[in-house]
Amino acid sequence: MTVSPSIIIDVFLIVLLVIAIAYFWRLDNRLKAIKSGRDSMLEATKELALTINQAQATIGDLKSTSTDVGQKLQIQIDEARALHTRNQEISVSQGDAGLRRRNTF
């Protein structure tokens, strides 16, 4: 029994076709995995951008709050210094009055 060259070529082409189908099937799976990874990366990038915007807004709020608190604190410090100076003046004047009373006895 002799095998004709056309059958050999047909079998060879069938084998090549099966190999090509298997290769393209694997390639398709890899491309799906890459696309899935890309989609995940896009979603993560969107979430990161949203988080950055929220952080920037929060930082702006913190700056505003710290400025307000700093101004209020400075007012309280100035008031405390004024009270301290007034108390020192009162203490000095009361001390002088006490010394004058002692000296008159």
Side-chain angles (χ1 to χ4, degrees):
M1 174 176 197
T2 62
V3 179
S4 71
S6 67
I7 292 180
I8 294 175
I9 292 175
D10 286 344
V11 170
F12 180 71
L13 288 175
I14 290 172
V15 169
L16 286 178
L17 185 59
V18 169
I19 292 172
I21 289 171
Y23 174 78
F24 287 121
W25 179 73
R26 288 182 58 203
L27 181 63
D28 183 55
N29 288 338
R30 287 182 184 172
L31 289 174
K32 285 179 184 176
I34 289 171
K35 184 177 185 272
S36 173
R38 187 190 75 202
D39 291 344
S40 298
M41 186 64 78
L42 285 173
E43 185 63 32
T45 303
K46 288 177 185 176
E47 289 179 23
L48 180 61
L50 179 64
T51 303
I52 288 171
N53 289 337
Q54 289 173 346
Q56 286 175 338
T58 302
I59 287 171
D61 291 344
L62 286 173
K63 284 182 182 179
S64 175
T65 301
S66 67
T67 300
D68 292 344
V69 169
Q71 290 171 348
K72 289 177 183 177
L73 184 60
Q74 187 61 48
I75 290 169
Q76 290 178 348
I77 289 170
D78 293 342
E79 289 173 354
R81 284 183 180 155
L83 285 174
H84 177 69
T85 302
R86 185 171 173 228
N87 284 339
Q88 283 181 333
E89 291 170 356
I90 291 172
S91 295
V92 169
S93 66
Q94 287 177 351
D96 288 345
L99 284 176
R100 278 188 236 126
R101 274 189 248 139
R102 285 187 193 164
N103 290 337
T104 58
F105 288 116

